[in-house]
Amino acid sequence: MATIRFQYLASLKFTNYLGTVNTMKRRKFVRNSILAGGSVVYSSNALSSKPNSQKRSPMNITATNFKLKYAPHFGMFKHHAGEDLLDQLTFMKEAGFNALEDNGMPRRDPAVQNKIGQKLEALDIEMGVFVASATFKDVTFAGDDESAKEAVIKDIKNSIEIAKRCHAKWMTVVPGMYSTKIPWDYQTANCIELLKRCSEILEPHNLTMVLEPLNAYTNHPGLFLTKIPQAYMICEAVDSPSCKILNDLYHQQITEGNLIPNIDRAWAQIAYFQMGDNPGRKEPTTGEINYKNIFKHIHKKGFTGIMGMEHGNSQPGKAGELAVIEAYKKSDDF
């Protein structure tokens, strides 16, 4: 790992720039800190308030030509790129990542959403999912409560403007908890009915909600949607291009395993993947899932969508960020 880290750090360089003496001193400090393996302190602001923040010349590294479209999230490379979100996007691109996902996009100020969207467009990075509607405590899609359904509809309508600002095509939907008072098949019918209403709203905008089954053992007990076959049945019944499956391979390894056969059976309804290794929910190669074989299988099937990196880093600091990049290079080498 030390050899890999040395080679990777040695490849870092700064591009030519025109700036003030203070800017040059700052960059020299950052460069020396990186080469020494030290920590660099950045502003905690999501987007820098400095007038010249977007004129800074970012670190250039040799990009990896990944076969699939892996999407990091904000914070994954902050020890190299700093706290500024736009600088993080630049670092992702220079590392070879051509997509981003940001579950928390709806909580960002609309002006920030616009800036992120503009930066994504400038860097030719594709926007992945953000969370449009999710609850881990209430019965929503599966229940009979009309007020809960209207709250979901409101979330979906609000997500249209968010998607426009950041150029998103997909949004995550978690259909809430199951009811202990309603027979299961009625709950399924309720879920399908509400998803049809949501789809009618999204279809004119060419937007797609992706339903995410989550495991009930380690992370989310009590949820209505937990398995890929269940999600497949529901999407088949809704029968809309705006209602598809988000197959999070971390969750499905815990819930049911049999990952590749379930990918094949549900393929027509899968629009998006996420991953994290198990146990631990860290980058590929840190657990029991053979991501190299899975990525090869998905690539062979012609998937051109986004593979969301919804996991943590197994190691802290810059070393951990380099380990993430190396894990994806290794898993993508097929």
Side-chain angles (χ1 to χ4, degrees):
M1 181 64 210
T3 301
I4 294 173
R5 181 172 181 271
F6 175 79
Q7 292 173 341
Y8 188 86
L9 289 175
S11 69
L12 296 176
K13 61 180 180 179
F14 285 88
T15 58
N16 292 329
Y17 59 91
L18 295 175
T20 64
V21 173
N22 287 336
T23 301
M24 290 188 287
K25 288 182 178 179
R26 178 186 178 279
R27 288 174 182 159
K28 183 177 180 181
F29 168 74
V30 173
R31 179 190 63 195
N32 292 339
S33 299
I34 291 169
L35 293 176
S39 298
V40 181
V41 180
Y42 292 84
S43 169
S44 60
N45 292 333
L47 292 174
S48 176
S49 59
K50 296 179 181 179
N52 65 340
S53 65
Q54 295 189 40
K55 296 180 181 179
R56 292 179 300 188
S57 183
M59 296 176 293
N60 285 326
I61 63 175
T62 302
T64 300
N65 292 319
F66 292 116
K67 298 180 181 70
L68 291 170
K69 202 176 294 179
Y70 306 113
H73 53 78
F74 287 124
M76 184 166 272
F77 301 116
K78 67 181 181 180
H79 292 283
H80 279 93
E83 295 288 348
D84 186 270
L85 301 184
L86 304 187
D87 288 346
Q88 290 183 37
L89 288 174
T90 298
F91 182 87
M92 292 174 192
K93 182 67 176 183
E94 293 191 342
F97 297 106
N98 293 310
L100 166 82
E101 67 174 30
D102 181 24
N103 287 340
M105 185 69 77
R107 296 191 296 273
R108 302 190 188 281
D109 186 90
V112 174
Q113 295 170 2
N114 278 324
K115 288 182 179 180
I116 291 172
Q118 292 164 7
K119 188 68 170 180
L120 290 171
E121 187 173 24
L123 293 172
D124 194 24
I125 295 177
E126 191 168 359
M127 180 64 200
V129 293
F130 61 87
V131 176
S133 179
T135 178
F136 301 98
K137 63 179 182 178
D138 299 320
V139 178
T140 50
F141 284 77
D144 293 327
D145 187 345
E146 190 60 32
S147 63
K149 294 180 181 181
E150 288 301 324
V152 169
I153 294 296
K154 181 179 179 180
D155 286 342
I156 296 300
K157 289 180 177 178
N158 289 340
S159 296
I160 294 172
E161 294 305 313
I162 297 169
K164 289 179 181 178
R165 296 185 195 110
C166 63
H167 309 302
K169 301 176 184 176
W170 303 277
M171 57 189 72
T172 303
V173 167
V174 177
M177 308 295 282
Y178 67 79
S179 173
T180 58
K181 301 178 181 180
I182 305 173
W184 192 262
D185 290 342
Y186 290 130
Q187 295 187 59
T188 301
N190 289 340
C191 182
I192 292 169
E193 184 270 337
L194 182 52
L195 287 170
K196 285 184 175 180
R197 291 171 62 184
C198 294
S199 295
E200 290 176 356
I201 295 169
L202 295 175
E203 283 176 4
H205 302 277
N206 295 316
L207 297 174
T208 301
M209 56 185 168
V210 284
L211 312 183
E212 183 177 12
L214 301 172
N215 83 82
Y217 305 107
T218 306
N219 300 96
H220 303 294
L223 288 180
F224 172 74
L225 187 65
T226 59
K227 297 182 179 181
I228 294 298
Q230 180 191 12
Y232 178 79
M233 174 187 66
I234 289 171
C235 287
E236 285 283 299
V238 175
D239 191 25
S240 168
S242 289
C243 183
K244 296 294 181 181
I245 297 172
L246 190 172
N247 188 342
D248 189 317
L249 297 164
Y250 161 77
H251 285 292
Q252 294 316 305
Q253 174 69 2
I254 295 171
T255 300
E256 56 195 355
N258 211 31
L259 297 178
I260 288 177
N262 274 314
I263 287 171
D264 288 343
R265 287 183 177 274
W267 186 254
Q269 296 294 347
I270 295 174
Y272 200 101
F273 286 95
Q274 285 178 334
M275 53 268 178
D277 218 335
N278 182 63
R281 201 172 188 178
K282 306 300 182 183
E283 69 268 17
T285 75
T286 58
E288 65 187 1
I289 303 176
N290 189 337
Y291 270 111
K292 185 172 184 176
N293 276 357
I294 292 173
F295 291 164
K296 180 180 179 180
H297 186 77
I298 292 171
H299 181 263
K300 187 176 180 180
K301 291 180 75 70
F303 187 72
T304 59
I306 290 178
M307 310 284 293
M309 297 160 60
E310 197 183 40
H311 57 74
N313 298 1
S314 64
Q315 303 175 45
K318 293 178 182 176
E321 295 174 359
L322 297 177
V324 168
I325 296 172
E326 290 300 323
Y328 278 91
K329 288 171 64 177
K330 181 177 180 180
S331 299
D332 190 77
D333 184 18
F334 49 81

